[in-house]
């Protein structure tokens, strides 16, 4: 096999959900020579490439500090730790998210207090956040889910009133704004994932915490590096969670394209909304311009039977439609100790069984969008044939 031949693992699909080749327009001229230089330099962990990315990301967001870490998960864990959250503390967050959000809270020994999400925006319900706050509430973690921003000023005000810190899980929403302000810039900590599927992706695991607070940033820098302030001097109990130079280089390069990519995602979403209107499906409310960067495009069906049938139908036609989070967090065995049962969060539970994701990426072409929309329409027209190029 020719080791330089391009390979796209998802090419078995007519409409795959990822296309990494599109993310490297200058692969041979810029990217590979730079990676070669870094490989030969031996400066693999933190170092100048990571500092360069941290500055670039801070400038892009307009925030004081970016601290590169190992993953989005670690961004959450280190942020909670840096802000002093631990056993006995309650942390309010949402039942409708990826596992890592609640995993981080439990890892720190704190108690997650889950609330439901809204029926139209699919985001944490702020009335329920207010109702869930107690004297033990130390933090609120909001999730900008699927790429749509939460009303950060409103939840910040709730936090101020209750003496709690606000942490944002920005993993799915790199580049999104709320009311014109970038997310992850005004709270105690914005937590970012650069995992391969995310809008801004490393070539493996990577993450960052952003903060305006210099002390929090300094603490995060200690925590990620064995709690070490200088060689062999460990100030506090830390972690080994550092961003690598190869990833940082790729992230700095891709960051220059992120806004353009997000605009392209928004255009794909607008086309889906327009083309699928009239079918028995609905969508996550888009919010004002700039508030949704469409990490995922969710299509809400009327029942689990329709959802499952439509996913199978799309897969059989070579459209890589998938279900994200079919079991909400409170019903996962890992969080059984929270003692929450089916029925606790009806909206999150309904979304889990009725939502599916259509492929969305910046380079999705008009032909692809046509094919996806025709395939969805065919399902509702009763044409369940696997016509078109199916999955191999
Ligand atoms: C991806 C993701 C994370 C975790 O990020 P990793 O880099 O995969 O550890 C956390 N929260 C949400 C909402 C995510 O989508």
């Amino acid at each position: 096999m020719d080791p330089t031949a391009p390979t796209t693992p998802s090419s078995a699909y007519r409409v795959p959900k990822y296309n990494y080749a599109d993310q490297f327009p200058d692969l041979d001229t810029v990217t590979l020579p730079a990676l070669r230089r870094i490989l030969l330099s031996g400066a693999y962990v933190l170092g100048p490439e990571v500092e360069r990315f941290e500055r670039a990301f801070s400038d892009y967001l307009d925030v004081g500090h970016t601290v590169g870490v190992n993953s989005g998960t670690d961004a959450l864990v280190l942020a909670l730790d840096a802000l002093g959250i631990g056993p006995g503390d309650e942390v309010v967050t949402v039942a409708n998210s990826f596992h890592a959000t609640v995993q981080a809270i439990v890892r720190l020994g704190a108690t997650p207090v889950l609330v439901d999400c809204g029926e139209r925006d699919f985001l944490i319900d702020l009335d329920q956040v207010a109702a869930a706050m107690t004297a033990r509430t130390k933090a609120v973690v909001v999730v900008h889910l699927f790429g749509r921003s939460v009303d950060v000023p409103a939840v910040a005000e709730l936090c101020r009133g209750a003496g709690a810190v606000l942490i944002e899980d920005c993993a799915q929403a790199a580049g999104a704004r709320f009311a014109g302000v970038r997310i992850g810039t005004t709270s105690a900590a914005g937590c970012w994932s650069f995992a391969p599927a995310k809008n801004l992706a490393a070539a493996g695991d990577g993450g960052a915490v952003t903060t305006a607070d210099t002390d929090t940033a300094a603490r995060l820098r200690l925590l990620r590096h064995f709690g070490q302030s200088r060689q062999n001097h460990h100030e506090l109990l830390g972690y080994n969670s550092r961003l690598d130079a190869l990833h940082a280089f790729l992230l700095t390069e891709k960051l220059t394209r992120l806004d353009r990519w997000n605009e392209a995602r928004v255009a794909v979403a607008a086309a889906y909304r327009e083309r699928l209107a009239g079918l028995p499906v609905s969508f996550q409310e888009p919010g004002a311009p700039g508030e949704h960067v469409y990490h995922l495009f969710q299509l809400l069906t009327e029942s689990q039977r329709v959802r499952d049938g439509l996913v199978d139908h799309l897969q059989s036609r070579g459209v890589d439609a998938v279900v994200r989070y079919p079991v909400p967090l409170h019903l996962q065995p890992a969080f059984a100790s929270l003692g929450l049962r089916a029925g606790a969060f009806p909206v999150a539970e309904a979304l889990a069984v009725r939502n599916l994701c259509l492929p969305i990426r910046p380079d999705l072409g008009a032909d692809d969008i046509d094919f996806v929309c025709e395939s969805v329409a065919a399902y509702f027209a009763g044409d369940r044939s696997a016509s078109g190029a199916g999955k191999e």
Side-chain angles (χ1 to χ4, degrees):
M1 195 186 132
D2 173 5
T4 63
T7 53
T8 38
S10 50
S11 63
Y13 286 92
R14 172 166 172 164
V15 186
K17 57 180 178 304
Y18 307 121
N19 178 16
Y20 290 101
D22 185 67
Q23 298 188 11
F24 301 104
D26 308 316
L27 185 66
D28 292 324
T29 53
V30 179
T31 313
L32 292 179
L35 295 183
R36 182 174 196 279
R37 172 180 55 76
I38 297 166
L39 283 174
L40 297 178
S41 79
Y44 296 156
V45 183
L46 297 179
E49 287 299 335
V50 172
E51 285 163 25
R52 197 164 74 97
F53 170 68
E54 290 178 338
R55 273 196 305 276
F57 201 53
S58 295
D59 289 347
Y60 169 82
L61 294 174
D62 193 14
V63 67
H65 309 276
T66 298
V67 180
V69 297
N70 233 322
S71 67
T73 300
D74 278 7
L76 289 160
V77 170
L78 270 65
L80 288 160
D81 193 333
L83 293 165
I85 287 145
D89 297 331
E90 291 179 358
V91 179
V92 178
T93 193
V94 64
N96 184 33
S97 183
F98 178 60
H99 178 83
T101 313
V102 175
Q103 177 186 266
I105 297 166
V106 175
R107 275 276 158 232
L108 267 291
T111 305
V113 176
L114 300 184
V115 301
D116 209 349
C117 57
E119 269 175 51
R120 289 200 295 271
D121 63 9
F122 304 175
L123 301 175
I124 190 166
D125 182 327
L126 298 191
D127 291 336
Q128 293 192 30
V129 171
M133 284 176 150
T134 71
R136 295 200 306 169
T137 305
K138 192 84 177 277
V140 174
V141 180
V142 297
V143 184
H144 303 290
L145 198 69
F146 309 135
R148 162 89 199 261
S149 59
V150 170
D151 183 342
V152 176
V155 72
E157 186 156 338
L158 288 178
C159 288
R160 266 193 303 278
V165 295
L166 174 58
I167 296 169
E168 295 170 76
D169 182 338
C170 304
Q172 300 192 357
R177 301 169 189 265
F178 187 87
V181 179
R182 297 269 193 204
I183 60 160
T185 60
T186 58
S187 59
C191 302
W192 307 84
S193 167
F194 307 124
K198 304 288 158 81
N199 289 29
L200 178 64
D205 281 319
V209 183
T210 51
T211 181
D213 186 67
T214 305
D215 291 340
T216 304
R219 217 174 149 75
L220 287 163
R221 288 181 197 286
L222 284 178
L223 284 175
R224 72 174 170 181
H225 190 53
F226 309 107
Q228 182 171 269
S229 55
R230 59 193 150 81
Q231 186 91 41
N232 298 321
H233 187 82
H234 302 270
E235 298 266 335
L236 36 86
L237 183 64
Y239 302 81
N240 173 10
S241 182
R242 304 164 298 183
L243 187 61
D244 293 329
L246 289 164
H247 296 312
F249 172 81
L250 295 171
L251 291 166
T252 309
E253 194 184 43
K254 289 182 179 185
L255 184 60
T256 62
R257 308 188 178 105
L258 180 61
D259 282 345
R260 219 171 343 114
W261 285 342
N262 283 342
E263 281 165 26
R265 286 173 180 272
V266 168
V268 173
Y272 279 153
R273 285 171 191 279
E274 192 186 317
R275 298 281 303 276
L276 300 173
L279 296 175
V281 292
S282 55
F283 313 102
Q284 184 182 22
E285 255 179 8
E291 290 179 6
H292 207 323
V293 293
Y294 292 97
H295 171 58
L296 297 174
F297 185 87
Q298 294 284 357
L299 191 65
L300 182 61
T301 62
E302 289 179 332
S303 70
Q304 180 162 18
R305 190 182 51 78
V306 171
R307 193 274 302 273
D308 292 347
L310 182 52
V311 170
D312 288 349
H313 170 77
L314 291 172
Q315 283 280 330
S316 76
R317 289 172 66 110
V319 173
D320 197 4
V322 293
V323 174
R324 288 285 180 256
Y325 325 133
V327 179
L329 296 175
H330 64 290
L331 303 179
Q332 292 284 353
F335 300 129
S337 64
L338 300 179
L340 294 161
R341 305 207 181 270
F345 304 116
V347 180
E349 289 168 29
L351 295 179
V353 296
R354 288 168 46 200
N355 258 337
L356 65 106
C357 308
L358 296 181
I360 191 161
R361 47 185 165 80
D363 63 307
L364 205 67
D367 288 354
D368 295 327
I369 295 169
D370 282 348
F371 187 74
V372 173
C373 293
E374 282 160 16
S375 299
V376 174
Y379 178 80
F380 286 108
D383 173 7
R384 309 285 157 89
S385 66
S387 71
K391 194 170 63 151
E392 276 161 26

